[in-house]
Amino acid sequence: MILLDNVTKKYSGDSSPALDKVSLHIEPNEFVFLVGKSGAGKSTLIKMITKEENPDSGKIIIGGIDLDYVKKRHIPGYRRRLGVVFQDFKLLPRRTVYENVAFALEIAGMSGKEIAKTVPKVLELVDLSDQAKKFPSQLSGGQRQRVSIARSVARQPKILIADEPTANLDRLTTEEIIQLLKKINDFGTTILVTTHNENIVNSLQKRVVTLSDGKIINDQKNNGIYKLDATPTPKPTRTIQTPGHALKKPAVKNETAAKATATTKRKIIQ
């Protein structure tokens, strides 16, 4: 579904690459968290997928489409195959919730009849049916993000990319948005989420890919946790002893300690 093979990108003036020989394969219907410190290369990787930037070298194939062969005039059409959710919502302020979602379908060339049938279903999915006539300024941050998600999934894309979708939201709203993304994933959509939120990553325990200095340093394919280095989590050590050894060793330790104490006492008395 998403394939990056040995992708490198270096921006003019930078001493090191933003992406350095990155290879990543995300299967259909996976839910993947992309984590890393600021400047690790997360945004550049997303821009490679959405074709906002082109790699200096390497191969990128998205949904079976080799991006090397997507000409400039075809980029808008390619992007309409993807769903993208931004942290700043990017809603049209003078259009209602219904109109924001409908506009995305109009651009995709959907007929008025199809739009009238699709928009209510999508708003029901994100639990905003009762907010359809409101404008973005009348909504909470969480509601605006739900509109953004509704707009992104209205065309039923196979891939949904969420770039820091909960960065400006409180804890409870963050959990609601992540659960919504999980529900969309359960319907069969491949989800890629960039985030700095350790709690949501650890609570979902999905696949976690860690970037550092433009390289993938960790790829936890199952039950992933949030960590920004390549050092494996230390496991508790277990000492296996025979019954005899288990009894003798503490005795030697106590005997040595007792002798040391006695010697100290004699020195103090003398």
Side-chain angles (χ1 to χ4, degrees):
M1 183 58 67
I2 297 176
L3 176 64
L4 283 77
D5 183 20
N6 220 29
V7 171
T8 294
K9 175 68 177 180
K10 186 175 182 180
Y11 293 105
S12 177
D14 289 352
S15 58
S16 57
L19 293 178
D20 189 2
K21 298 179 181 179
V22 167
S23 293
L24 176 65
H25 184 205
I26 298 176
E27 298 281 359
N29 202 30
E30 272 200 281
F31 191 121
V32 181
F33 284 112
L34 183 64
V35 304
K37 298 178 182 177
S38 296
K42 302 188 302 298
S43 294
T44 300
L45 191 150
I46 295 300
K47 289 178 180 178
M48 295 291 111
I49 295 174
T50 59
K51 207 165 172 60
E52 293 177 64
E53 298 281 359
N54 295 315
D56 298 327
S57 61
K59 178 72 68 178
I60 303 175
I61 299 175
I62 308 297
I65 300 174
D66 187 334
L67 298 195
D68 284 346
Y69 297 98
V70 177
K71 298 183 182 298
K72 189 173 181 179
R73 67 178 182 274
H74 295 144
I75 291 177
Y78 161 72
R79 288 178 182 159
R80 285 196 287 271
R81 293 171 174 263
L82 307 174
V84 183
V85 178
F86 303 96
Q87 61 176 294
D88 56 352
F89 317 130
K90 297 189 183 300
L91 300 178
L92 300 171
R94 296 185 178 181
R95 292 179 183 257
T96 64
V97 168
Y98 184 101
E99 291 168 342
N100 264 276
V101 178
F103 183 68
L105 298 176
E106 290 171 13
I107 292 176
M110 190 175 285
S111 69
K113 186 176 180 179
E114 290 175 309
I115 291 172
K117 183 186 297 185
T118 301
V119 175
K121 292 180 180 179
V122 176
L123 293 182
E124 182 179 358
L125 171 68
V126 299
D127 197 24
L128 285 177
S129 298
D130 58 343
Q131 308 293 323
K133 295 181 179 180
K134 290 187 178 180
F135 291 90
S137 60
Q138 298 173 296
L139 304 176
S140 67
Q143 289 172 327
R144 276 178 276 176
Q145 190 59 288
R146 285 174 179 273
V147 179
S148 179
I149 293 172
R151 184 183 56 189
S152 298
V153 301
R155 298 187 303 273
Q156 298 183 333
K158 295 296 184 183
I159 299 171
L160 178 63
I161 299 169
D163 189 11
E164 295 285 355
T166 63
N168 300 318
L169 306 178
D170 59 46
R171 182 186 62 80
L172 182 59
T173 307
T174 291
E175 291 175 0
E176 293 172 351
I177 293 299
I178 292 301
Q179 287 304 314
L180 175 57
L181 292 176
K182 185 176 179 297
K183 182 164 69 171
I184 293 168
N185 176 240
D186 291 339
F187 288 147
T189 303
T190 303
I191 306 285
L192 177 60
V193 179
T194 69
T195 185
H196 286 98
N197 193 314
E198 181 175 350
N199 292 329
I200 63 173
V201 173
N202 293 344
S203 65
L204 252 61
Q205 294 190 321
K206 297 289 189 177
R207 183 178 176 185
V208 181
V209 176
T210 305
L211 276 172
S212 179
D213 297 325
K215 297 180 179 181
I216 293 178
I217 60 168
N218 207 309
D219 188 351
Q220 305 166 76
K221 295 188 183 297
N222 296 294
N223 302 316
I225 60 172
Y226 186 93
K227 56 181 181 178
L228 301 183
D229 55 58
T231 306
T233 304
K235 297 180 179 179
T237 56
R238 298 175 63 186
T239 304
I240 301 175
Q241 298 175 323
T242 61
H245 180 68
L247 292 172
K248 288 178 181 179
K249 192 167 184 179
V252 172
K253 183 177 179 182
N254 292 339
E255 183 181 346
T256 303
K259 287 180 179 179
T261 303
T263 302
T264 303
K265 287 181 177 178
R266 282 198 300 272
K267 288 181 178 180
I268 293 173
I269 293 171
Q270 290 172 355

